[in-house]
Amino acid sequence: MSEWLARKNPHMENLRLYCKGVLEDEDLGALYAEYEDDIKSVQYDEVMALVNWMVSCGDYDMETIKDALNRIINIFSNQLDKDVFNLCRHVPQFISILSDENVAITEHMDSIKELLKLHSKAPEGSAESDRCRHGLIAKLEELTEIDKHYVKMENILFPYVEKYIPEYRCIGVMWSIHDDVRQGIKSLIGILSEPAMDAIKFNRSVGRLFFDIYGLIFREDYVLLPMAAQKIPEDVFAEIVSQCPEIGYSFIKSPDVKTTSKKEAYVPEGTINLETGSLSANELITMLNTLPVDITYVDADDRVRYFSSPEERIFPRSKAIIGRTVQNCHPPESVHIVNDVVERLKSGKKNVESFWIQMGGKFILIQYFALRDKNGKYIGTIEVSQDVTGIRALSGEKRLLDFQ
């Protein structure tokens, strides 16, 4: 609270007190009457600061914040400037892509809404009702395309928001709601697939899914995206948008992504530039040796150049094999098979060859992966061996959120 008082901004303090009242289930009508003037003049950057306070103050759990925020945003929505992007110098292509996707997502949701209307009018158990149910399942399966939008938010935009916007903690709330949407789509498909559909459960799930998706679209278009467009430097957006094609797009055609030459990434002294990050030699060695797999690298001349040293090796290795041809590392009877595998990988006929054996009560997967540089030139093969006995026995789910 001292942070807010230090700003000597009565308007922001009043907005904070209003949000605090909503979080603590005070009378909404009385709260609105008390802080009406401040609510009617709220700006999108202030909303971001308020959510940042809700998360960072530590007094409320995520579910409480999400529930309160739904009510708060509903009140604020009528006050926020609907031409927020006009405040930007220009709208970066990346922001436009996300905004265009939101328009397309809304259109898809509208098509689901039309089917829901038809379903509500169809007599239960009728052929028309069955057609609507199958249509809704198909539409919801198509809606899983929304995940590409959320992945771009979580893995591209959010890291830059953290870097350039100090009051960034609203993104944690948004990510949580992304997961609610993912689970909501899955749950609805399951409900619709049941022979005897629970109508009450269905209606409740539909309402929640629409509320979450439309709420996220509003928060992006009227709060986060305009803020990002203003706070993230213009030259950074070329780097940001260039990461989109790998993930793909939700309900829009792939745009012609405009990029500029990438700046050389800063590499701390004593580390190795891995393009997607940098590690010290010790970190790299430790990481490779910690993976529960045997890794052996054979270069383009068929010579062994490296092998990892996991705690529990599957096949024996010694440093004496470094520089030795891969053919000499196998008994004569199998050399012709080794040559065939290597030739297939070298020639491009195959990019991976897989074998599996049972050894000492374990099920061992052995895979050979061709390594090719950016120009497609063959630069070697890695052999990866793994005990997959436990993996084969897995069933059901154990999600991160289930962790105790």
Side-chain angles (χ1 to χ4, degrees):
M1 184 166 176
S2 59
E3 176 190 349
W4 292 80
L5 294 175
R7 294 181 180 182
K8 296 181 180 179
N9 186 333
H11 168 66
M12 284 300 292
E13 178 60 10
N14 285 342
L15 287 173
R16 187 194 72 83
L17 290 172
Y18 170 73
C19 291
K20 184 175 184 290
V22 177
L23 283 160
E24 297 176 2
D25 284 327
E26 294 181 18
D27 183 272
L28 294 182
L31 281 169
Y32 185 85
E34 184 174 359
Y35 300 110
E36 183 176 2
D37 290 343
D38 295 290
I39 292 169
K40 285 186 173 180
S41 58
V42 69
Q43 298 296 313
Y44 65 90
D45 54 338
E46 294 170 348
V47 177
M48 198 162 178
L50 289 164
V51 181
N52 188 77
W53 164 75
M54 293 181 205
V55 177
S56 61
C57 73
D59 294 336
Y60 312 101
D61 61 34
M62 184 58 71
E63 290 306 313
T64 299
I65 292 171
K66 287 193 293 187
D67 288 343
L69 193 54
N70 286 335
R71 287 173 278 170
I72 291 166
I73 291 294
N74 187 47
I75 296 297
F76 286 174
S77 63
N78 294 324
Q79 321 305 328
L80 293 171
D81 186 351
K82 298 192 187 304
D83 295 319
V84 284
F85 286 118
N86 291 342
L87 300 173
C88 306
R89 299 178 299 276
H90 74 279
V91 181
Q93 187 187 22
F94 178 73
I95 299 296
S96 293
I97 288 170
L98 294 177
S99 184
D100 290 344
E101 285 183 337
N102 279 337
V103 172
I105 291 166
T106 301
E107 291 172 355
H108 189 78
M109 296 301 291
D110 288 343
S111 70
I112 294 176
K113 198 182 296 182
E114 290 303 312
L115 262 178
L116 286 168
K117 290 178 183 176
L118 293 174
H119 180 262
S120 67
K121 295 176 182 177
E124 188 176 347
S126 66
E128 179 63 20
S129 177
D130 287 343
R131 278 195 295 272
C132 287
R133 282 176 68 171
H134 288 122
L136 284 168
I137 289 172
K139 284 288 184 182
L140 288 166
E141 287 173 343
E142 291 171 7
L143 185 58
T144 58
E145 280 288 302
I146 203 171
D147 195 58
K148 294 175 183 176
H149 180 84
Y150 293 160
V151 170
K152 286 198 293 292
M153 296 288 293
E154 295 159 0
N155 291 285
I156 301 179
L157 181 61
F158 286 179
Y160 290 95
V161 170
E162 289 174 9
K163 185 175 182 179
Y164 292 104
I165 303 177
E167 294 167 327
Y168 63 82
R169 290 170 184 83
C170 69
I171 64 178
V173 181
M174 295 183 79
W175 196 326
S176 181
I177 302 173
H178 291 172
D179 286 341
D180 290 343
V181 170
R182 291 171 174 127
Q183 186 57 39
I185 295 171
K186 183 178 178 181
S187 176
L188 259 179
I189 292 173
I191 294 170
L192 283 163
S193 301
E194 293 172 359
M197 191 181 76
D198 185 330
I200 295 174
K201 188 177 178 182
F202 171 74
N203 290 331
R204 188 184 301 121
S205 298
V206 166
R208 183 70 194 191
L209 182 65
F210 271 74
F211 190 84
D212 284 342
I213 291 176
Y214 284 142
L216 283 166
I217 289 172
F218 182 87
R219 290 167 213 183
E220 287 180 30
D221 285 347
Y222 292 92
V223 181
L224 184 61
L225 298 186
M227 193 77 168
Q230 287 201 74
K231 297 296 184 180
I232 297 174
E234 289 184 48
D235 60 337
V236 174
F237 273 107
E239 176 187 337
I240 294 175
V241 78
S242 67
Q243 299 173 61
C244 287
E246 184 177 350
I247 294 172
Y249 306 92
S250 295
F251 302 106
I252 65 171
K253 291 181 179 179
S254 299
D256 180 17
V257 170
K258 301 170 185 175
T259 60
T260 58
S261 56
K262 189 177 179 181
K263 293 180 180 178
E264 195 66 34
Y266 167 71
V267 180
E269 186 177 352
T271 64
I272 304 164
N273 183 3
L274 301 174
E275 292 192 1
T276 53
S278 58
L279 298 171
S280 69
N282 181 56
E283 289 169 334
L284 185 57
I285 291 167
T286 304
M287 182 171 68
L288 290 169
N289 288 343
T290 301
L291 292 171
V293 294
D294 290 5
I295 302 172
T296 303
Y297 168 57
V298 177
D299 68 17
D301 296 321
D302 298 348
R303 294 192 176 275
V304 178
R305 293 271 302 280
Y306 164 83
F307 63 87
S308 64
S309 299
E311 186 174 339
E312 295 184 16
R313 289 207 61 84
I314 297 170
F315 299 113
R317 294 282 187 271
S318 73
K319 292 183 180 179
I321 69 170
I322 301 300
R324 196 181 188 193
T325 65
V326 67
Q327 290 82 3
N328 287 340
C329 295
H330 291 79
E333 292 82 3
S334 62
V335 169
H336 68 287
I337 300 174
V338 172
N339 285 335
D340 188 37
V341 169
V342 171
E343 180 53 37
R344 286 171 179 268
L345 296 172
K346 275 187 179 181
S347 67
K349 289 181 181 177
K350 298 293 287 290
N351 286 316
V352 60
E353 286 282 10
S354 301
F355 304 89
W356 46 94
I357 62 173
Q358 297 188 52
M359 184 177 72
K362 297 178 179 179
F363 195 94
I364 308 300
L365 176 64
I366 307 160
Q367 294 181 290
Y368 298 88
F369 299 92
L371 299 184
R372 308 187 199 284
D373 64 17
K374 291 180 179 178
N375 298 316
K377 180 183 176 182
Y378 175 81
I379 59 173
T381 292
I382 54 170
E383 178 193 74
V384 180
S385 302
Q386 183 177 11
D387 175 7
V388 295
T389 309
I391 295 173
R392 293 181 80 217
L394 293 175
S395 63
E397 291 185 341
K398 180 182 178 182
R399 299 162 62 230
L400 187 61
L401 292 177
D402 299 329
F403 182 76
Q404 297 293 328

